[in-house]
Amino acid sequence: MWLWNWDRWPLLQRRGNQFFAKLLVSMLLVGFSFRCLFFFFSDSFAFLPLSQQPLRDYQSVENNGASDASVLEAALQNGVENSREGKCDLFTGEWISNPSGPAYTSESCPFIESPQNCIKNGRPDTGYLYWRWKPYGCNLPSFDAEKFLDVMRDKSWALVGDSISRNHVQSLICLLVKVEEPVEVYHDEEFKIRRWHFHSHNVTISVIWSPFLVKAENFRHELGVSSSEIEIHLDILDEKWISQYKNFDYILISGGPWFLRTAIYWENNTIIGCNSCQEKKNLAEISVQYAFRKVLRLLYHFFATSEHKPFIMYRSWPPSHFEYGEWFDGGRCSRTAPYKEGEFMGTDLEHLMRGIELEEFKNAVVNGACLKLLDIYRLSLLRPDGHSGPYRTFRPFDNKNKSASIQNDCLHWCLPGPIDFWNDLIMELVLNGKPK
Ligand SMILES: *[C@@H]1O[C@H](CO)[C@@H](O)[C@H](O)[C@H]1NC(C)=O
Ligand SMILES: *[C@@H]1O[C@H](CO)[C@@H](O)[C@H](O)[C@H]1NC(C)=O
Ligand SMILES: *[C@@H]1O[C@H](CO)[C@@H](O)[C@H](O)[C@H]1NC(C)=O
């Protein structure tokens, strides 16, 4: 299936013929890559001559058909000694032992919210903390908080999505805290939109709760039950984030499991149908897949047509690991070590949804924007051990009472935990990734 098998483009550079390679590089720099390289030059190594830039020794998977300027460039800088046999896909690899453990602890980071603070909530095992992501064929450098804040000086970030984005922003802030502790400068009434400022670096990080990315109504409580169906406008982006869009230099955005809920869909200010709400007999049945695809197209269209061109990353579907049931009927995730590749494939529904994401990403016309895919699905799929499970609330005596009805969280991640590595990947995409 194509989604398992991203095209690996033939590597253009070969030993010799540097002139040809140089010419090609300059053409590529001017052409395909302008937007992302603009970010690269202006943000990270401004004013350094090309030859002093660090070697980028691997590539992220993205899906343009263009040749790879940065591999060529790296080879030029290093007299082709470092030319590589192939590209490294950052998102394909394995979790390997990491004796040094996480970069922060549940005590050292005051920004971990209780449902993520598994250790404080009594999780007894710690083995899940001692793994790191290792792409096949290259090394993923650890997140460098100092470098991140330096490179992002005067820049503004936003993470837009659901509670997984909130989980993620906590991880990012925890990694940064040892260099500088931010101050929360804004939150809305429900703490669903929040903004932190790192004063001495003048870096701003926002998280914006917008689980459908489009306008939606009737969905106030995350685990609560609404009296009526969620109403989703498939053709109107959510004001919550687009009203602030022009303020952001970097935006990390994603859809997710909220799309699987029963909902009434609107287009053109008219109800067009509903997914799995049989009792609404007069409504046409519309699939979740249709709705999700529609929203992603609208999203990419917005990026392509908006005058503001931030650095955009789309984060893929977050895997869940409920076993012996679903989230609502006693499903749990009690493993204490990662899966080996191939041991667990994830659910069909998740593959379907991620497939739509990959397809729509591939078809997106960027039109001068810098757009990258943060494809965390498969690497996170290997971490059934990293979820909060029963430790989303205080539960000091382990999960021994099997008859107790405990709601497990096998979707969100413990902090510290595997989600921290998403930030290592972001750092690579931002500093070294090639443009779509
Ligand atoms: C901080 O960064 C913002 C842009 O994000 C900029 O407008 C502002 O002038 C900067 N402040 C200082 C003190 O440099
Ligand atoms: C939306 O509604 C307007 C007027 O009500 C109509 O002219 C237009 O064709 C509709 N568009 C679609 C896509 O249905
Ligand atoms: C186990 O949980 C059940 C249901 O919540 C409760 O009735 C029972 O008292 C618990 N047993 C122990 C030993 O805590």
Side-chain angles (χ1 to χ4, degrees):
M1 219 161 120
W2 69 268
L3 50 110
W4 293 115
N5 204 355
W6 286 88
D7 292 343
R8 286 170 180 272
W9 311 295
L11 193 60
L12 282 182
Q13 47 87 9
R14 293 278 180 272
R15 286 174 189 280
N17 209 344
Q18 287 212 9
F19 171 74
F20 176 68
K22 264 183 185 152
L23 188 67
L24 204 52
V25 165
S26 30
M27 283 160 55
L28 290 166
L29 290 181
V30 172
F32 306 110
S33 346
F34 177 75
R35 176 55 61 174
C36 290
L37 285 174
F38 168 75
F39 269 96
F40 180 82
F41 288 126
S42 66
D43 290 340
S44 42
F45 299 96
F47 317 123
L48 281 190
L50 203 61
S51 61
Q52 286 177 28
Q53 285 178 37
L55 170 66
R56 282 165 266 167
D57 63 347
Y58 43 75
Q59 301 304 314
S60 58
V61 163
E62 277 142 50
N63 54 357
N64 65 350
S67 308
D68 195 324
S70 42
V71 170
L72 287 163
E73 192 190 316
L76 285 173
Q77 291 158 24
N78 295 277
V80 298
E81 281 315 301
N82 289 294
S83 68
R84 300 180 67 90
E85 328 65 52
K87 288 177 217 290
C88 177
D89 171 359
L90 286 176
F91 307 119
T92 305
E94 60 190 337
W95 290 92
I96 63 169
S97 168
N98 178 29
S100 58
Y104 63 93
T105 65
S106 75
E107 292 89 40
S108 72
C109 180
F111 294 84
I112 306 175
E113 291 173 27
S114 179
Q116 268 65 62
N117 206 334
C118 302
I119 293 175
K120 203 170 166 197
N121 287 337
R123 180 168 176 167
D125 63 305
T126 55
Y128 70 101
L129 297 169
Y130 296 89
W131 300 92
R132 72 180 172 87
W133 178 244
K134 166 78 174 67
Y136 294 133
C138 59
N139 271 306
L140 177 63
S142 296
F143 184 85
D144 183 337
E146 198 107 39
K147 185 172 172 187
F148 182 91
L149 287 171
D150 282 344
V151 166
M152 295 303 156
R153 186 173 292 280
D154 299 335
K155 298 289 187 243
S156 181
W157 275 67
L159 284 75
V160 179
D162 58 18
S163 52
I164 297 288
S165 298
R166 192 162 69 209
N167 196 166
H168 188 182
V169 86
Q170 292 170 53
S171 163
L172 178 59
I173 290 176
C174 284
L175 289 168
L176 296 171
V177 153
K178 60 184 169 183
V179 175
E180 185 183 347
E181 196 161 308
V183 172
E184 187 175 75
V185 290
Y186 173 82
H187 65 78
D188 68 348
E189 236 169 72
E190 296 176 295
F191 290 83
K192 289 189 162 172
I193 299 178
R194 301 173 75 170
R195 190 159 66 241
W196 294 269
H197 189 233
F198 295 77
H199 286 300
S200 59
H201 293 84
N202 193 23
V203 172
T204 304
I205 298 180
S206 301
V207 65
I208 299 177
W209 197 69
S210 180
F212 300 104
L213 309 177
V214 288
K215 182 178 169 189
E217 287 143 338
N218 293 337
F219 64 110
R220 301 195 69 73
H221 305 292
E222 278 187 47
L223 293 170
V225 189
S226 290
S227 51
S228 53
E229 276 82 16
I230 300 167
E231 314 235 350
I232 305 178
H233 294 258
L234 301 178
D235 55 355
I236 305 175
L237 288 169
D238 189 355
E239 274 299 312
K240 282 216 249 356
W241 70 271
I242 57 165
S243 61
Q244 297 189 50
Y245 181 67
K246 62 177 188 324
N247 301 329
F248 302 130
D249 302 296
Y250 290 80
I251 183 162
L252 179 58
I253 196 161
S254 53
W258 277 86
F259 277 95
L260 304 179
R261 297 192 164 207
T262 296
I264 292 172
Y265 300 127
W266 292 68
E267 270 179 43
N268 213 4
N269 281 315
T270 311
I271 291 179
I272 56 159
C274 181
N275 92 70
S276 50
C277 42
Q278 291 87 352
E279 66 275 21
K280 296 260 191 301
K281 48 251 159 251
N282 51 342
L283 292 185
E285 175 71 18
I286 293 198
S287 71
V288 166
Q289 292 85 313
Y290 168 87
F292 193 43
R293 202 182 282 283
K294 186 97 191 173
V295 168
L296 293 179
R297 285 188 185 168
L298 181 67
L299 182 70
Y300 289 129
H301 179 74
F302 174 74
F303 292 147
T305 53
S306 172
E307 251 170 51
H308 180 58
K309 301 288 183 194
F311 188 112
I312 303 158
M313 286 168 275
Y314 183 86
R315 193 209 73 218
S316 65
W317 196 267
S320 63
H321 292 92
F322 291 96
E323 293 184 79
Y324 314 107
E326 294 299 322
W327 65 272
F328 50 85
D329 64 357
R332 56 186 191 272
C333 41
S334 41
R335 291 175 190 267
T336 54
Y339 284 124
K340 298 263 179 292
E341 175 145 34
E343 208 179 327
F344 176 61
M345 299 311 286
T347 67
D348 290 347
L349 189 56
E350 286 177 0
H351 283 288
L352 198 63
M353 300 303 274
R354 174 170 171 266
I356 292 171
E357 293 180 318
L358 297 187
E359 244 169 65
E360 293 307 319
F361 180 83
K362 191 173 179 160
N363 294 335
V365 175
V366 290
N367 214 1
C370 178
L371 175 65
K372 288 159 188 283
L373 183 65
L374 177 65
D375 188 14
I376 52 75
Y377 181 75
R378 276 189 295 164
L379 64 101
S380 306
L381 192 62
L382 299 175
R383 296 306 306 273
D385 55 328
H387 295 290
S388 307
Y391 305 103
R392 59 190 294 275
T393 54
F394 186 56
R395 201 171 297 288
F397 305 117
D398 196 3
N399 188 10
K400 286 200 181 76
N401 187 347
K402 300 281 188 237
S403 63
S405 68
I406 292 167
Q407 195 170 58
N408 282 269
D409 183 348
C410 304
L411 177 62
H412 300 94
W413 307 92
C414 293
L415 293 177
I419 195 173
D420 294 328
F421 292 89
W422 296 6
N423 296 307
D424 298 26
L425 294 161
I426 283 175
M427 186 110 181
E428 284 313 305
L429 291 184
V430 167
L431 298 187
N432 298 335
K434 69 181 184 50
K436 175 183 161 77

